[in-house]
């Protein structure tokens, strides 16, 4: 018995001693941050992954902010049958289920985490077809992170501000801090986004013009709901987004984006 125990302990020590070598291997079948992204195609796939969390809207529409705001307003009423209990709950500003907003919370933070990962790894790609392509992707990444935080802030007010993929337990940030980060990301999206007229930047993709329009929407909501005169930027950046700056961006979008209203 003692001999068997000695053999077992010896074998275990050998296994543990070799764990570092065993775990420190090159991934041959999976993509991770050690081998992805390495080229422009990878970078595009990475950004597509940030968009893809929106697909959850189809599976759980009752947790989508657009649905929540529409039902909670006077624009429509929420359902009538027992199968519409979620819509009825939104209509009455009541929880319909346990952890009712959990899918919204999880999916938006999943998108934020993917955006954080993209910002941390996009420089791994050394060769680009053009600087314009990389800047277009950076525009999309910053916009999407801002968009997901805007969804969260409108539903939950202040939320933890996660700007890194490093595991950490963060406290709830104030609404001012969250909106400052949203403004910062949208500002970067505007600055990075190429001034390409629709549809040169790609069908169904975020553009500089989308960021300018979203900045106006965020500015109106923040200043109206919180009774402020301007939209703050993070403390390390300083300053704020003024009404005149928003007007300038909107005029740029109207005049140069290639979008327009349908004629009468």
């Amino acid at each position: 018995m003692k001999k068997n125990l000695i053999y077992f302990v010896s074998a275990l020590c050998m296994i543990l001693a070799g764990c570092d070598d065993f775990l420190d291997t090159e991934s041959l079948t999976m993509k991770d941050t050690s081998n992805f992204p390495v080229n422009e195609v990878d970078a595009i796939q990475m950004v597509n992954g940030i968009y893809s969390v929106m697909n959850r809207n189809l599976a759980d529409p009752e947790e989508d902010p657009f649905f929540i705001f529409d039902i909670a307003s006077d624009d429509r009423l929420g359902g009538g049958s027992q199968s519409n209990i979620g819509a009825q709950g939104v209509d009455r500003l009541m929880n319909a289920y346990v952890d009712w907003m959990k899918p919204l919370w999880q999916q938006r933070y999943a998108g934020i985490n993917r955006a954080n990962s993209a910002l941390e790894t996009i420089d791994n790609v050394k060769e680009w077809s053009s600087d314009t392509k990389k800047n277009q992707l950076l525009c999309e990444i910053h916009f999407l992170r801002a968009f997901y935080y805007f969804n969260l802030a409108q539903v939950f007010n202040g939320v933890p501000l996660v700007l890194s993929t490093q595991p950490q337990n963060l406290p709830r940030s104030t609404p001012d801090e969250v909106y400052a980060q949203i403004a910062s990301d949208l500002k970067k999206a505007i600055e990075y986004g190429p001034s390409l007229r629709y549809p040169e930047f790609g069908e169904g993709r975020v553009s500089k013009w989308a960021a300018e329009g979203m900045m106006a929407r965020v500015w109106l909501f923040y200043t109206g709901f919180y009774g402020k005169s301007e939209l703050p930027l993070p403390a390390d950046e300083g300053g704020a987004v003024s009404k005149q700056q928003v007007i300038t961006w909107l005029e740029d979008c109207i005049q140069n984006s290639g979008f327009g209203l349908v004629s009468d």
Side-chain angles (χ1 to χ4, degrees):
M1 183 68 179
K2 289 182 178 179
K3 186 180 292 185
N4 290 338
L5 180 60
I6 292 172
Y7 286 148
F8 175 75
V9 173
S10 299
L12 182 61
C13 289
M14 291 174 66
I15 291 173
L16 293 175
C19 276
D20 288 342
D21 293 333
F22 177 75
L23 295 175
D24 187 19
T25 58
E26 180 182 356
S27 177
L28 300 177
T29 59
M30 302 289 288
K31 292 183 177 180
D32 56 34
T33 52
S34 70
N35 59 20
F36 181 88
V38 296
N39 55 47
E40 187 173 307
V41 173
D42 284 351
I44 294 171
Q45 291 178 350
M46 177 174 65
V47 175
N48 289 347
I50 309 173
Y51 284 98
S52 69
V53 300
M54 295 184 191
N55 291 336
R56 186 70 186 183
N57 296 356
L58 302 177
D60 292 296
E62 292 175 352
E63 285 84 15
D64 184 74
F66 180 85
F67 180 90
I68 295 170
F69 303 149
D70 209 29
I71 295 295
S73 72
D74 295 328
D75 293 341
R76 69 181 72 230
L77 300 176
S81 69
Q82 285 300 308
S83 61
N84 299 130
I85 188 172
Q88 294 177 50
V90 176
D91 189 34
R92 294 164 177 79
L93 297 179
M94 298 171 62
N95 286 333
Y97 315 105
V98 175
D99 289 335
W100 177 35
M101 290 296 165
K102 188 176 181 179
L104 167 64
W105 182 276
Q106 288 179 325
Q107 292 304 314
R108 292 308 183 270
Y109 270 112
I112 289 166
N113 185 65
R114 293 182 183 188
N116 290 339
S117 179
L119 290 174
E120 291 171 1
T121 60
I122 193 169
D123 285 336
N124 292 349
V125 179
K126 303 303 181 184
E127 295 184 9
W128 295 88
S129 57
S130 67
D131 290 339
T132 298
K133 186 60 181 180
K134 180 179 181 181
N135 288 339
Q136 170 62 31
L137 293 179
L138 284 169
C139 166
E140 296 176 47
I141 296 167
H142 281 288
F143 177 97
L144 290 169
R145 185 167 70 174
F147 178 75
Y148 292 142
Y149 268 122
F150 188 40
N151 284 173
L152 289 169
Q154 286 182 290
V155 176
F156 300 108
N157 205 18
V159 296
L161 203 52
V162 183
L163 302 176
S164 167
T165 57
Q166 290 294 115
Q168 49 191 321
N169 187 14
L170 297 172
R172 184 180 188 180
S173 296
T174 66
D176 288 347
E177 291 169 332
V178 177
Y179 277 94
Q181 183 58 45
I182 293 171
S184 174
D185 274 326
L186 289 176
K187 187 171 181 287
K188 287 184 175 71
I190 294 170
E191 293 168 350
Y192 277 119
S195 297
L196 299 175
R197 293 174 67 84
Y198 174 82
E200 294 176 32
F201 51 79
E203 295 283 0
R205 307 197 75 88
V206 168
S207 66
K208 170 183 181 177
W209 321 115
E212 289 178 336
M214 183 57 69
M215 179 71 89
R217 182 176 180 182
V218 170
W219 192 93
L220 286 170
F221 183 88
Y222 177 81
T223 57
F225 187 79
Y226 295 100
K228 304 297 181 85
S229 61
E230 56 188 10
L231 181 63
L233 288 168
D236 60 346
E237 295 181 29
V241 176
S242 67
K243 178 179 179 180
Q244 185 54 52
Q245 180 64 74
V246 172
I247 292 172
T248 300
W249 280 323
L250 286 178
E251 289 176 343
D252 179 41
C253 180
I254 293 168
Q255 296 169 9
N256 301 311
S257 67
F259 292 103
L261 299 177
V262 177
S263 59
D264 291 340

